Amino acid sequence: MNIAIFASGTGTNAKKIIEYFENNTQVKVNLIVSNKATAPVLDIARENGIDILVIDRHNFYKTQDILNFFNEYSIDFVVLAGFLLLIPSYLTKSFENKIVNIHPALLPKFGGKGMYGMNVHKAVHEAKEKETGITIHYVNENYDEGAIIFQAKCLIDTEDTPETISNKVRILEHEFFPKIIEQTITNQTET
Ligand code: GAR
C-alpha cells in the first residue's frame, strides 16, 4: 500500500505518520502533496527522502493531472494532514473511502469551511466547551462531512486558552492518527 500525504502546514502529523510507517514492509508513504511551495512539511519530506508534488490550485480543480501522478507512484490511499483545500469530486470518486482527514475538534461541531487550525481552537474556547478532541473521518466533496472513523476526547479546564487547547489536541493527533490510518488500511485489505 502506498500512501500520499496532503499537507500545507508545519507537518507535525505528516512527520509522525512517516516515522510510524518507516519500517513497515506493507505500507509506505511515498509522496507528499502540497499546494504551498514553502510549506515546512516539504522539508520533512526532503529529510526523509520522500518525493514532493507541489500542486497549483487552478490545475487541481480544472484538470485531473494529479491522477497521473497517483498512477506513477501507485498511490492506494490518501491522508490529509493539515491540507486546507477542498478535495475535488473526481478525486473523492476515484478514491472512495480511501481518503482520510484529521480534524482538530469533535465533528460535527466546529467543522466546515474556514474551520482549521487555531480558528477551531479559538471557536471551541469562545463557546466555553467542556471537552474537545480529534476526529478522523473519510473525505467526501464537502468539508468535514465524511463518515467518522474515530474520535478521541480531552477535557478543557477553565484556565485553558486556545493555545493550551491546541497543545492538548496535538497530543491526541500524534498518538492516534498513524495507528488509525494503519487500522483503516488493514481493515480494507482484509475485507
Ligand atoms: C492539525 O491540527 C490538523 O488537525 C489541522 O491542521 C493541523 C496541521 O498541523 N487540520 C485542520 O484543521 C483541517 N480542517 P500539522 O501541520 O502540524 O500536522
Side-chain angles (χ1 to χ4, degrees), residues 113-165:
K113 194 169 171 23
M115 275 298 186
Y116 58 86
M118 283 307 290
N119 292 351
V120 177
H121 306 306
K122 280 182 192 153
V124 167
H125 184 251
E126 261 166 41
K128 300 194 178 358
E129 292 290 305
K130 301 258 181 301
E131 60 180 19
T132 187
I134 60 168
T135 304
I136 297 167
H137 64 95
Y138 287 115
V139 171
N140 65 16
E141 56 280 3
N142 301 314
Y143 277 113
D144 304 324
E145 285 183 12
I148 292 174
I149 301 168
F150 175 86
Q151 292 186 307
K153 293 178 181 174
C154 55
L155 295 176
I156 301 175
D157 305 320
T158 44
E159 314 83 67
D160 270 320
T161 62
E163 285 72 24
T164 61
I165 293 172

Side-chain angles (χ1 to χ4, degrees), residues 9 16 21 34 36 64 67 86 89 110 112 126 129 139 145 148 153 157-158 160 180-181:
K16 291 285 172 193
F21 289 110
S34 183
K36 273 200 198 155
Q64 301 190 7
L67 292 176
L86 191 65
S89 58
F110 304 104
E126 261 166 41
E129 292 290 305
V139 171
E145 285 183 12
I148 292 174
K153 293 178 181 174
D157 305 320
T158 44
D160 270 320
I180 298 300
I181 293 167

Side-chain angles (χ1 to χ4, degrees), residues 36 49 71 74 76 92 96 114 127 159:
K36 273 200 198 155
N71 262 336
S74 303
D76 307 291
T92 54
E96 202 178 348
E159 314 83 67

Side-chain angles (χ1 to χ4, degrees), residues 3 5 13-22 24 27 29 77 79 100 102 134 136 138 149-152 171-188:
I3 299 180
I5 299 179
N13 280 285
K15 188 167 190 283
K16 291 285 172 193
I17 298 163
I18 292 165
E19 285 169 1
Y20 187 84
F21 289 110
E22 214 164 35
N24 189 310
V27 181
V29 176
F77 200 83
V79 171
V100 297
I102 190 157
I134 60 168
I136 297 167
Y138 287 115
I149 301 168
F150 175 86
Q151 292 186 307
I171 289 168
L172 293 177
E173 294 191 323
H174 293 173
E175 179 180 355
F176 289 108
F177 200 18
K179 288 182 198 158
I180 298 300
I181 293 167
E182 184 178 39
Q183 271 176 30
T184 307
I185 289 174
T186 308
N187 289 345
Q188 289 191 358

Side-chain angles (χ1 to χ4, degrees), residues 46-60:
R46 288 182 197 103
E47 281 158 20
N48 287 277
I50 298 173
D51 283 0
I52 291 167
L53 174 64
V54 175
I55 55 170
D56 166 83
R57 188 195 177 103
H58 179 83
N59 278 351
F60 188 46

